[in-house]
Amino acid sequence: MNDEFQSPLLERAVTELSRLPGIGRRTALRLALNILRRDLDDATALGNAIIDLRRDIRYCPVCHNISDEGTCRICSDPTRDGATLCVVENIRDVMSIERTGQYRGLYHVLGGVISPMDGITPDQIEIASLSDRVAAGGIKEVILALGATMEGDTTCFYIYRKIAAAAPGIKISQLARGMAVGNDLEYTDEITLGRSLMQRTLFADSFSI
Amino acid sequence: MNDEFQSPLLERAVTELSRLPGIGRRTALRLALNILRRDLDDATALGNAIIDLRRDIRYCPVCHNISDEGTCRICSDPTRDGATLCVVENIRDVMSIERTGQYRGLYHVLGGVISPMDGITPDQIEIASLSDRVAAGGIKEVILALGATMEGDTTCFYIYRKIAAAAPGIKISQLARGMAVGNDLEYTDEITLGRSLMQRTLFADSFSI
């Protein structure tokens, strides 16, 4: 492939760009040629934005959402309802729920879901810290807002048992199954997602059927 | 938009990524979150590949193709036919023609086509250097391999007049316009089909190659 590009620099840029999700070598070449046409300042800004993002990003020690420094904006916001906790898989899900404008509580970002297929066990995601957070008191409801997938359901059930044991009186709900089964949160439109949030059901009810 | 991302670092990365062609903010966010999940070394390699590409790339002083240093590989290759020059718009076109495996001559990369709509005049692309190259002698044929567009045709005609004046005896050809190989007549537009008909070639010539 090296000879095709006539340049190891271009070859390297195309290889690196094509490692991004959904970017094939053809698209990567188009991006690289676009970068070549730009000012050096522009290209440097893009390159550094990528490096700085990965190197300098921090995570909120409370909810594990991204945060440029210390506790995140949502956890630090005194107007939000500290008695409600929404458990999500990743930071993109936080953004999705924030965009619905339907939620004023706090979050807990797991950083993944339990997936025996991918070798992801409960101790690799933020479940222990969730238990601790709930056990510390002050939380009245935990909303399980995970994807309607096998892994999401498994994780919901695992968390339900953990929390029910750690803090027996707590209300545990989950997103209404208005979303299409098999879909992840990111592919659900805002209206459907907002509705699923408003019509959340008691977790215990879902397996009594 | 800043608030949506909860982080100026993420916001900045998404903004920079979404300036790439064909990358919207949604895709840019997907790429940024992918970068966040990687090792720091990986993210740094991507960022530096972009910066190095733009900062360190050089262009061949002869044909203006990309070249990591000095004269490019094609111009330096003694096995190539130095009497034939193929004029193309950009370095991607060089790659496209190289991939055909049908061409063993040299190239001249214009770096654009004449486009009054986009404010690109003949002096902004490498036409003067093409004239000089042809006038210096040793070239028997110039192949105009530009896109079959209004701008491509305008540029071809401009170059034709320049070269015909600078080096009267030279052969100037252009890429054949006709049906795409593998296409049926019904999928070929009228203008192309009409042209294919007018510029029909002797059948015997097609298998003598």
Side-chain angles (χ1 to χ4, degrees), chain A residues 4 7-8 38 54 68 99, chain B residues 4 7 38 54 68 99:
Chain A
E4 181 194 347
S7 153
R38 298 206 206 168
R54 179 58 188 81
D68 283 7
R99 270 198 298 270
Chain B
E4 181 194 345
S7 152
R38 297 205 207 169
R54 179 58 189 83
D68 284 6
R99 269 198 297 268

Side-chain angles (χ1 to χ4, degrees), chain B:
Chain B
M1 280 304 247
N2 202 341
D3 232 45
E4 181 194 345
F5 293 116
Q6 317 284 330
S7 152
L9 280 168
L10 182 59
E11 163 74 20
R12 190 180 122 212
V14 167
T15 300
E16 289 294 340
L17 286 165
S18 64
R19 295 179 61 196
L20 289 168
I23 308 283
R25 284 187 78 83
R26 215 182 166 88
T27 305
L29 175 61
R30 190 160 52 84
L31 300 183
L33 295 180
N34 172 275
I35 290 162
L36 272 179
R37 274 197 299 272
R38 297 205 207 169
D39 290 342
L40 177 56
D41 284 352
D42 259 26
T44 307
L46 170 59
N48 283 333
I50 290 169
I51 297 169
D52 294 351
L53 172 69
R54 179 58 189 83
R55 192 190 52 212
D56 298 335
I57 204 104
R58 295 293 173 267
Y59 294 89
C60 174
V62 180
C63 73
H64 311 287
N65 188 13
I66 49 167
S67 168
D68 284 6
E69 44 184 282
T71 310
C72 78
R73 293 186 192 179
I74 295 173
C75 287
S76 315
D77 185 346
T79 71
R80 302 204 53 138
D81 170 19
T84 311
L85 212 56
C86 183
V87 178
V88 294
E89 179 177 346
N90 57 45
I91 56 180
R92 182 143 56 163
D93 298 335
V94 173
M95 293 177 205
S96 298
I97 293 178
E98 286 298 290
R99 269 198 297 268
T100 69
Q102 299 286 341
Y103 184 66
R104 294 297 302 162
L106 304 182
Y107 290 94
H108 192 86
V109 181
L110 295 176
V113 282
I114 299 167
S115 172
M117 290 281 283
D118 300 320
I120 299 171
T121 56
D123 57 294
Q124 288 176 280
I125 61 178
E126 296 291 345
I127 291 180
S129 61
L130 173 62
S131 282
D132 293 348
R133 216 174 151 189
V134 170
I139 292 162
K140 289 180 182 154
E141 179 176 0
V142 171
I143 304 169
L144 302 174
L146 303 180
T149 59
M150 178 88 82
E151 292 78 13
D153 286 344
T154 304
T155 310
C156 279
F157 190 65
Y158 186 91
I159 291 174
Y160 172 76
R161 291 204 307 177
K162 279 272 169 192
I163 293 177
I170 220 156
K171 180 179 174 188
I172 302 171
S173 58
Q174 68 171 6
L175 291 186
R177 305 277 167 87
M179 292 173 61
V181 174
N183 256 15
D184 280 318
L185 259 72
E186 59 184 291
Y187 300 120
T188 307
D189 68 88
E190 289 94 317
I191 295 168
T192 304
L193 192 55
R195 197 150 177 169
S196 296
L197 202 58
M198 284 191 295
Q199 302 184 341
R200 61 194 178 272
T201 54
L202 286 176
F203 186 68
D205 287 347
S206 69
F207 51 78
S208 68
I209 301 162

Side-chain angles (χ1 to χ4, degrees), chain A residues 74-196:
Chain A
I74 295 173
C75 286
S76 315
D77 185 346
T79 70
R80 303 209 49 141
D81 170 20
T84 312
L85 211 55
C86 183
V87 177
V88 293
E89 180 178 344
N90 57 46
I91 56 179
R92 181 140 60 162
D93 298 336
V94 173
M95 294 178 205
S96 298
I97 291 176
E98 285 298 289
R99 270 198 298 270
T100 69
Q102 299 283 343
Y103 184 65
R104 294 297 302 163
L106 304 182
Y107 291 93
H108 192 87
V109 180
L110 294 176
V113 284
I114 299 167
S115 172
M117 290 280 283
D118 300 319
I120 299 170
T121 55
D123 56 297
Q124 288 175 279
I125 61 178
E126 295 292 345
I127 291 180
S129 60
L130 172 62
S131 280
D132 292 348
R133 216 173 150 189
V134 171
I139 292 161
K140 288 178 183 156
E141 178 175 1
V142 172
I143 303 169
L144 302 174
L146 303 181
T149 59
M150 178 87 82
E151 293 78 14
D153 285 346
T154 304
T155 310
C156 279
F157 191 66
Y158 186 92
I159 291 174
Y160 172 76
R161 291 204 307 180
K162 279 273 167 190
I163 293 177
I170 221 155
K171 181 180 174 186
I172 302 172
S173 57
Q174 70 173 4
L175 291 186
R177 291 298 160 93
M179 48 199 284
V181 174
N183 260 13
D184 278 316
L185 258 73
E186 53 182 290
Y187 301 118
T188 306
D189 68 275
E190 284 96 310
I191 294 167
T192 306
L193 189 57
R195 196 156 181 161
S196 296

